[in-house]
Amino acid sequence: RWLRHPERAVVTLAMEAGPPPPLEPSPLPTFTDEGFTEKFLRKTRENPLVPLGCLCTVGVLAYGIICFKKGNTRRSQLMMRARVLAQGFTIVSVVGGMVATTVKSRQ
């Protein structure tokens, strides 16, 4: 009889086993209210190279603009190249921080 209707055998066996045990609800994650300053400090502690790169970029850019205003075009061009390097450092820091966070969360 079971050979002709194997789907009935599966249903019958499942009914004999009884209902599954109830699942216990998992606790919901709790989030704290975090202001701008707290979040900025936490992110800076997690990846301190990003704010450092941003400060370097702004500093080099400001100095390059000052040199340009004074007419020192050679130094101004040098500072614009240094700005590109500082921006590259910042981007590498952001990507490195994202990779580190991903690796840390998987462990």
Side-chain angles (χ1 to χ4, degrees):
R1 149 179 168 210
W2 287 18
L3 293 176
R4 287 187 221 157
H5 303 287
E7 64 278 354
R8 286 185 187 169
V10 172
V11 171
T12 305
L13 289 175
M15 290 172 58
E16 288 175 2
L23 296 175
E24 296 199 19
S26 61
L28 296 174
T30 57
F31 297 103
T32 58
D33 287 334
E34 188 176 40
F36 175 78
T37 306
E38 293 87 13
K39 185 174 182 178
F40 178 77
L41 291 174
R42 179 176 57 84
K43 293 286 189 178
T44 300
R45 272 185 250 115
E46 288 175 4
N47 194 357
L49 295 178
V50 173
L52 180 67
C54 292
L55 286 174
C56 287
T57 301
V58 169
V60 169
L61 178 63
Y63 185 62
I65 290 172
I66 290 169
C67 290
F68 181 75
K69 292 272 187 180
K70 288 182 178 180
N72 191 348
T73 56
R74 188 174 179 92
R75 176 138 328 195
S76 174
Q77 284 296 314
L78 181 66
M79 289 300 110
M80 291 305 113
R81 291 183 187 130
R83 176 193 54 87
V84 171
L85 288 175
Q87 282 179 317
F89 175 77
T90 305
I91 297 297
V92 168
S93 298
V94 168
V95 172
M98 288 171 49
V99 169
T101 301
T102 304
V103 168
K104 185 192 287 186
S105 67
R106 287 189 181 182
Q107 290 178 351

